[in-house]
């Protein structure tokens, strides 16, 4: 498995480094231009946009790489290796997450460096890290889990499409399968949220009921947000709550689709 991960890294590092180089160049040019124009208000939005585009480009590349192995001849070498389907999928998933983390961390650090270079800060590191409180970290972890589950669901849709439609020329049908599955998961997630009205306060990590949240006189300001049609988060009066049932269901979907994809790769893919 370790050797296969090295193979995956070797096959994708040039693209990732290329994306990273382009992002760093664009970021440098952008900061320099905005500083000369004395227009620093646009920096935050554009910096986030650049990071989003970079991560999205990496995401598309990783998804397309798996698709090519399923629908093109290059997959013959991969799926005949002495590895189980779960090991192949796990290797691909770990390498993908590694690239996402590296891209995100490097881009954030470089933006911080550019800000310190062009703007005089009167702020301490303690104040910077105070932004990352327990609630922020918990929400971030929830989004991370949902993102991983979405990627696994895409892999599962591709493998299922490859097994269902033997003709490689209609490989694009996996996207329709993904949309259907994603819609069904989103629907069942909302049903589970109503059936299990228990929420975790992401600030105090105490379990509260939906009725308790409503009794905070915040019912009119409650905002329901579905992350990747999975875990439901409720924002009410400046506090954030996460539905416990939807989180457990999200993790279950991730595990089930991971095992299902591994099974299809190992036993059902007709090379």
């Amino acid at each position: 498995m370790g050797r296969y991960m090295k193979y995956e890294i070797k096959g994708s590092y040039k693209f990732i480094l290329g994306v990273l180089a382009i992002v760093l160049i664009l970021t440098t040019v952008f900061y320099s231009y905005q500083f000369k124009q004395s227009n620093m208000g646009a920096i935050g939005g554009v910096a986030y946009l650049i990071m989003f585009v970079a991560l999205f480009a990496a995401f598309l590349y990783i998804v397309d790489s798996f698709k090519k192995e399923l629908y093109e001849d290059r997959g013959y070498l991969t799926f005949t290796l002495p590895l189980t389907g779960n090991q192949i999928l796990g290797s691909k998933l770990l390498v993908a997450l590694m690239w996402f983390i590296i891209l995100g961390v490097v881009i954030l650090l470089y933006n911080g460096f550019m800000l310190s270079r062009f703007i005089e800060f009167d702020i301490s590191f303690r104040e910077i890290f105070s932004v990352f409180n327990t609630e922020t970290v918990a929400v971030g972890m929830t989004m991370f889990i949902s993102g991983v589950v979405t990627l696994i669901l895409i892999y599962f849709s591709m493998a299922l499409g490859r097994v269902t439609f033997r003709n490689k020329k209609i490989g694009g049908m996996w996207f329709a399968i993904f949309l259907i599955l994603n819609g069904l998961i989103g629907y069942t997630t909302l049903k589970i949220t109503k059936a299990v009205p228990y929420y975790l306060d992401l600030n105090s990590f105490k379990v509260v009921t939906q009725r308790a949240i409503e009794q905070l006189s915040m019912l009119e300001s409650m905002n329901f947000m579905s992350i990747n049609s999975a875990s439901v988060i409720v924002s009410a009066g400046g506090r954030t709550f996460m539905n416990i049932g939807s989180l457990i269901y999200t993790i279950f979907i991730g595990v089930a689709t991971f095992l299902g994809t591994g099974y299809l790769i190992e036993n059902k893919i007709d090379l």
Side-chain angles (χ1 to χ4, degrees):
M1 184 172 173
R3 290 183 179 180
Y4 183 67
M5 289 181 64
K6 291 180 180 179
Y7 170 79
E8 282 288 304
I9 294 172
K10 185 178 180 179
S12 57
Y13 81 94
K14 291 183 180 179
F15 178 85
I16 299 298
L17 291 181
V19 169
L20 191 57
I22 292 174
V23 169
L24 296 183
I25 292 172
L26 289 177
T27 302
T28 303
V29 172
F30 173 73
Y31 272 91
S32 301
Y33 176 77
Q34 294 300 331
F35 180 74
K36 291 179 181 179
Q37 298 296 320
S38 298
N39 182 20
M40 306 306 292
I43 282 183
V46 176
Y48 280 113
L49 178 62
I50 292 175
M51 182 171 68
F52 172 79
V53 172
L55 293 175
F56 186 66
F59 179 82
L60 291 179
Y61 176 82
I62 289 168
V63 168
D64 186 65
S65 177
F66 185 72
K67 176 178 175 292
K68 287 180 178 178
E69 292 195 344
L70 283 175
Y71 291 92
E72 297 181 6
D73 294 336
R74 60 179 284 185
Y76 182 82
L77 176 62
T78 300
F79 300 131
T80 53
L81 292 173
L83 296 173
T84 66
N86 290 338
Q87 288 175 329
I88 293 175
L89 182 61
S91 299
K92 289 182 173 295
L93 191 61
L94 288 174
V95 172
L97 295 178
M98 181 193 73
W99 287 136
F100 290 142
I101 293 172
I102 289 176
L103 280 173
V105 170
V106 172
I107 293 172
L108 285 175
L109 290 177
Y110 191 72
N111 273 275
F113 168 75
M114 295 302 293
L115 284 172
S116 65
R117 177 180 174 85
F118 288 105
I119 304 175
E120 292 185 3
F121 277 110
D122 186 17
I123 186 170
S124 64
F125 281 104
R126 180 176 297 180
E127 291 173 308
I128 293 175
F129 285 104
S130 66
V131 177
F132 298 97
N133 52 33
T134 54
E135 184 174 341
T136 304
V137 173
V139 172
M141 288 298 296
T142 304
M143 295 179 66
F144 178 79
I145 292 173
S146 299
V148 172
V149 171
T150 299
L151 183 58
I152 296 174
L153 184 61
I154 290 175
Y155 286 162
F156 177 74
S157 302
M158 286 182 173
L160 186 60
R162 177 68 174 83
V163 172
T164 305
F165 305 100
R166 300 291 181 176
N167 191 341
K168 296 181 180 181
K169 294 182 179 180
I170 56 176
M173 290 299 296
W174 73 265
F175 188 67
I177 296 175
F178 169 74
L179 291 178
I180 293 172
L181 291 176
N182 200 49
L184 289 174
I185 292 172
Y187 175 78
T188 52
T189 298
L190 293 178
K191 289 294 184 180
I192 290 174
T193 301
K194 294 179 180 179
V196 186
Y198 294 96
Y199 293 80
L200 182 67
D201 189 331
L202 296 183
N203 195 350
S204 63
F205 289 98
K206 293 181 179 179
V207 177
V208 298
T209 64
Q210 184 169 335
R211 179 174 296 181
I213 299 176
E214 294 172 357
Q215 290 175 349
L216 296 175
S217 304
M218 303 173 184
L219 181 60
E220 293 79 12
S221 63
M222 285 176 62
N223 297 316
F224 287 84
M225 177 176 63
S226 177
I227 301 177
N228 296 326
S229 299
S231 304
V232 173
I233 288 183
V234 178
S235 249
R239 297 171 63 184
T240 307
F241 306 87
M242 178 175 58
N243 183 266
I244 297 175
S246 68
L247 177 62
I248 295 174
Y249 179 64
T250 299
I251 296 174
F252 169 78
I253 290 295
V255 173
T257 50
F258 180 90
L259 295 177
T261 306
Y263 173 79
L264 292 176
I265 290 175
E266 187 173 352
N267 300 288
K268 298 297 182 179
I269 299 297
D270 183 12
L271 298 176

